[in-house]
Amino acid sequence: MNLRPTASIWILCGATIANSVLIPSAKADETAVLDLTRSSFNFLALKRLGPPIQGEFRVATGHLDTRAEGQRQVVIVLQADSVSVGGSAMQTRVARSDLLFATQRYPQIEFRSDWHTQQMLRAGGVFGGTVTLRGVTLREQFTVSPSTCSQPGERCAIEAQGRINRERYGMKGLGAILRPDVELQFKVRFVPSGTASATASNATSKKNRAGN
């Protein structure tokens, strides 16, 4: 499992947000849904010695809500048991165990952005919001890369990165091997809500590839 920290986090997530994490273009009072086939949710578990460990969540749902005044909020929900680590069955089992994500007790991980404007997302910067992990909800900050198009989230991906302290969420296992810091890397795309059935099918397909 070789995980090299990268400067961007594909979001995350939405996620994972100091004024908000994602900002696709949707019309007022409309909801767009996550396009899982063009989104990714990766993380880097930083080791005390040696290269980091790379993992990903292969199944997620999410939506983009828009207020009448044009402010937007992104919510991303990762299915914890879809985590896959470094292509290793053993490492994936450890990640799903109570040592780390405890997926049987805490089946979902949520990223909820603050309300924000599309202009903020185009410019990029630090966005705020909340992360719920292992039943603990805390405020976190993510850095969103400047948009490469006029409609981020629809015509191009929203990319976000951030770092959380896993011990704050009760994830204290393997402390002799892993540092407390975990880097999140999210890339997110949305589609109109009318295509929700297609995104559900995409999620099932990805989960089947994730392996159990």
Side-chain angles (χ1 to χ4, degrees), residues 40-67:
S40 58
F41 305 91
N42 300 321
F43 65 89
L44 299 171
L46 304 182
K47 296 168 65 176
R48 296 191 181 278
L49 294 174
I53 296 169
Q54 182 172 358
E56 65 176 328
F57 292 92
R58 297 185 175 182
V59 180
T61 58
H63 52 90
L64 169 69
D65 298 324
T66 307
R67 287 174 170 169

Side-chain angles (χ1 to χ4, degrees), residues 22-27 30 32 38 64 72 117-123 145-159 188-192:
L22 305 166
I23 315 175
S25 355
K27 296 180 181 177
E30 287 188 352
R38 295 189 293 174
L64 169 69
R72 293 170 170 84
T117 66
Q118 185 170 0
Q119 290 73 21
M120 292 167 61
L121 184 63
R122 287 176 182 158
S145 300
S147 174
T148 60
C149 68
S150 61
Q151 294 179 296
E154 292 179 343
R155 300 198 175 200
C156 60
I158 297 167
E159 298 187 11
V188 181
R189 295 285 294 267
F190 292 88
V191 294

